[in-house]
Amino acid sequence: MNLKKKLLNEKVRMYIYYLLVPLFLLIESEFSLLPRSSWLGSYILILAANSVTFSWMSEHVKLFKIHKEYFWTYTSILLITTLSFPLGYTLLGVYGLPVFFGVLLIYSLMGTESAMASAITLSTVAAIVGNGSFELFAIYTIGSIGSVLLTKRLVKRFDFSKASLWNSVLSILMVLSISVDFFPYSIQLKSIVLMGLNPFVSMILMVGILPYVEYISRIYSNVGLIELGNLSHPLVKKLSVKAPGTYFHSVVLSNMCESAAQRINVNYVLTRVGPYFHDIGKIKRPEFFTENQRGVNPHDSMSPMMNYLVIASHVKYGEELSKSHRLPLLVEDMIREHHGTKMVSFFYQKALSENLKVSPDDFRYPGPKPRTKESGIVMLADSCEAAVRSLKSPTPSKIRNMIEEVVNGIYNERQLDNSGLTLRDIDEIVEEFSKILSSMYKNRIEYPKNSQEVERVIRVAKM
Ligand SMILES: [Fe+2]
Ligand SMILES: [Fe+2]
């Protein structure tokens, strides 16, 4: 019943969104509350553009289903961008509308699909501001979508400039091809200058506002993530002092996850930064975790249930820290999901050996299971690194076998069901982890111990 009510509420909310947002976009772009006869047609056009693109996007972009913040941020950016249209139009005319500001902001925070969807909606509004000009719609849409597709990924600040340059070039080409037939030379020159500069001004405004949007929405661009991952964050510093073992484990994990993400072509910046924070909750009781112990194990004097509660609490405390420090939502997901709903089997076995009446579910992490490929990679890396570290005398083949065993275990436990990782992805990840962990943990080649052996080595070397 509750679920039905929830779904109904969600549906009602969506209908309100579909009907109201175009109305606000129209009012803002017209800069007037007084309805005109042309409003109905314009309203239907914006409604159609926004409904089609948004419903496509919410179906195809997984993060819109996971975090409602994506929905609110997307809508707010559309509204803020449109709010600036009347000013741009009054000062510079139809070629001075900062469509690219909204598109680039959405691109840097939410990726290609969302940016393309926003480009269509914002260009429709821009065309209405320009008295229903189809040419204007074509220039803004092709300029924005083309630059997004040509830039591929925004990782460095320079990529923002690259995107603006592509937008500028494409828009000028569009203006030129349209102007040849329709406009005298003088208008064409002004349009070219405006369309050439518009993307760069939009970019400068966007770079200025980006940190505020990131802080408010907790949706981070890759540039924001890179800043967060430079190891000078107070939480990471605290981890390095209080729990050096966990800190080292996190750094190794970061390298593993980044390489694996690059190999299967997902967001490697996120998988580099997320692991630094995934065990941040261990700063509360670091001595209870194996990697920080020096001989004494405080778990020995506790009941199995208490053992489990202390171990599992690092996820909950990590989540609290993530909220209070406004870490990115996707990093918080890695904190909550890196153990999924796995069982803390060591202490479950301990409870059984003490003849306690317990069920496996009493010893499970709260979850949820990983919901993105990036989060799935962190879960796999976390278990593999811990398992390989525990090997007595690791060799490349032992490491590989151990990784395969751990990954198969996680897969068979169905922890990766919601992550979107395919079997091919998992094979690639195993390959990458084996390579990295082998180079880190394999035994060093032993040097010859006696003089006869040394002589034999020199003889072989001379041959
Ligand atoms: Fe953990
Ligand atoms: Fe970990």
Side-chain angles (χ1 to χ4, degrees):
M1 190 64 193
N2 262 346
L3 184 72
K4 200 177 167 189
K5 218 174 173 179
K6 201 179 156 204
L7 282 175
L8 196 73
N9 282 345
E10 247 162 52
K11 259 192 174 170
V12 170
R13 269 207 302 272
M14 285 321 288
Y15 284 131
I16 293 173
Y17 169 80
Y18 284 131
L19 292 174
L20 277 188
V21 169
L23 186 65
F24 283 123
L25 291 173
L26 184 66
I27 292 171
E28 284 180 12
S29 65
E30 297 276 334
F31 209 55
S32 158
L33 280 170
L34 299 171
R36 289 205 304 268
S37 58
S38 63
W39 268 36
L40 185 63
S42 306
Y43 175 72
I44 291 171
L45 267 179
I46 302 176
L47 179 84
N50 189 52
S51 306
V52 169
T53 52
F54 188 80
S55 54
W56 176 83
M57 191 177 57
S58 46
E59 197 54 46
H60 287 83
V61 184
K62 201 177 181 183
L63 294 173
F64 276 82
K65 291 181 194 163
I66 299 178
H67 293 295
K68 61 182 183 317
E69 286 82 353
Y70 275 75
F71 166 80
W72 289 115
T73 309
Y74 178 84
T75 310
S76 306
I77 294 173
L78 288 189
L79 291 169
I80 291 169
T81 309
T82 314
L83 199 61
S84 64
F85 280 6
L87 183 70
Y89 181 70
T90 314
L91 292 176
L92 304 163
V94 289
Y95 294 121
L97 307 178
V99 169
F100 194 54
F101 165 82
V103 176
L104 190 61
L105 194 50
I106 289 175
Y107 182 32
S108 64
L109 298 172
M110 301 175 188
T112 313
E113 293 90 348
S114 318
M116 283 161 57
S118 69
I120 292 172
T121 305
L122 288 172
S123 302
T124 307
V125 182
I128 287 165
V129 172
N131 294 324
S133 153
F134 171 73
E135 286 83 8
L136 207 59
F137 174 77
I139 292 170
Y140 279 121
T141 317
I142 292 172
S144 303
I145 293 182
S147 60
V148 165
L149 292 175
L150 287 165
T151 318
K152 287 191 184 130
R153 186 160 275 178
L154 299 175
V155 178
K156 304 181 287 295
R157 263 174 302 177
F158 181 64
D159 294 334
F160 294 143
S161 301
K162 249 194 310 197
S164 308
L165 187 66
W166 276 120
N167 192 322
S168 193
V169 170
L170 289 171
S171 305
I172 289 172
L173 284 176
M174 291 291 292
V175 172
L176 274 176
S177 58
I178 290 165
S179 304
V180 167
D181 288 340
F182 292 104
F183 297 109
Y185 184 73
S186 57
I187 299 174
Q188 183 193 329
L189 191 67
K190 189 185 164 202
S191 313
I192 288 168
V193 172
L194 277 175
M195 276 326 291
L197 290 178
N198 183 339
F200 287 97
V201 176
S202 295
M203 176 201 70
I204 292 166
L205 291 174
M206 176 264 169
V207 170
I209 203 176
L210 183 61
Y212 299 103
V213 180
E214 286 177 336
Y215 182 81
I216 295 166
S217 66
R218 296 177 66 203
I219 299 169
Y220 273 61
S221 66
N222 283 337
V223 173
L225 281 173
I226 287 171
E227 274 175 22
L228 204 68
N230 64 8
L231 298 181
S232 65
H233 192 281
L235 282 177
V236 181
K237 277 186 175 172
K238 210 168 179 182
L239 185 73
S240 70
V241 175
K242 286 194 151 188
T246 308
Y247 175 76
F248 176 71
H249 157 72
S250 304
V251 172
V252 174
L253 222 63
S254 168
N255 289 330
M256 291 169 68
C257 294
E258 185 186 24
S259 306
Q262 272 173 329
R263 187 148 175 162
I264 64 166
N265 203 22
V266 293
N267 190 345
Y268 63 89
V269 181
L270 176 63
T271 51
R272 171 159 199 89
V273 178
Y276 292 140
F277 297 91
H278 82 287
D279 270 340
I280 206 71
K282 290 186 181 176
I283 55 179
K284 200 170 189 178
R285 300 185 193 93
E287 68 283 2
F288 281 87
F289 299 91
T290 355
E291 66 268 23
N292 302 312
Q293 285 167 2
R294 298 278 177 274
V296 186
N297 187 350
H299 282 291
D300 293 345
S301 55
M302 290 161 63
S303 71
M305 207 57 208
M306 277 308 288
N307 295 142
Y308 155 75
L309 287 173
V310 171
I311 292 289
S313 71
H314 85 275
V315 174
K316 189 84 203 125
Y317 185 56
E319 192 185 336
E320 282 169 22
L321 285 175
S322 158
K323 283 191 175 34
S324 61
H325 284 76
R326 300 200 68 77
L327 292 182
L329 290 170
L330 300 184
V331 171
E332 187 176 307
D333 284 350
M334 287 174 175
I335 296 173
R336 293 167 64 208
E337 296 167 3
H338 75 277
H339 291 292
T341 54
K342 281 194 292 183
M343 193 174 61
V344 188
S345 54
F346 184 83
F347 294 119
Y348 174 62
Q349 295 301 333
K350 185 181 166 186
L352 290 183
S353 71
E354 291 179 10
N355 294 323
L356 298 173
K357 278 192 177 164
V358 287
S359 112
D361 289 340
D362 297 336
F363 286 81
R364 285 192 189 283
Y365 282 101
K369 295 173 183 176
R371 292 173 293 177
T372 56
K373 285 191 177 189
E374 289 83 354
S375 190
I377 292 175
V378 176
M379 171 186 261
L380 292 173
D382 189 49
S383 303
C384 289
E385 197 276 331
V388 168
R389 197 167 6 101
S390 70
L391 282 175
K392 282 277 165 354
S393 47
T395 60
S397 65
K398 271 190 190 175
I399 290 172
R400 165 114 203 176
N401 289 342
M402 177 57 94
I403 290 173
E404 277 181 4
E405 200 180 306
V406 169
V407 171
N408 285 340
I410 292 174
Y411 181 79
N412 291 332
E413 227 187 293
R414 313 207 63 158
Q415 293 292 332
L416 300 172
D417 281 10
N418 306 330
S419 70
L421 286 169
T422 62
L423 283 174
R424 176 185 282 243
D425 290 334
I426 294 173
D427 281 345
E428 300 278 350
I429 292 167
V430 167
E431 207 61 50
E432 199 61 32
F433 285 175
S434 306
K435 208 170 76 186
I436 295 173
L437 290 176
S438 295
S439 66
M440 285 186 67
Y441 288 115
K442 74 179 176 197
N443 285 345
R444 279 194 289 174
I445 300 158
E446 287 189 20
Y447 292 107
K449 289 184 186 75
N450 54 45
S451 56
Q452 279 175 342
E453 244 182 288
V454 173
E455 275 173 31
R456 190 178 60 79
V457 170
I458 293 169
R459 251 200 330 272
V460 170
K462 278 182 178 173
M463 277 166 68

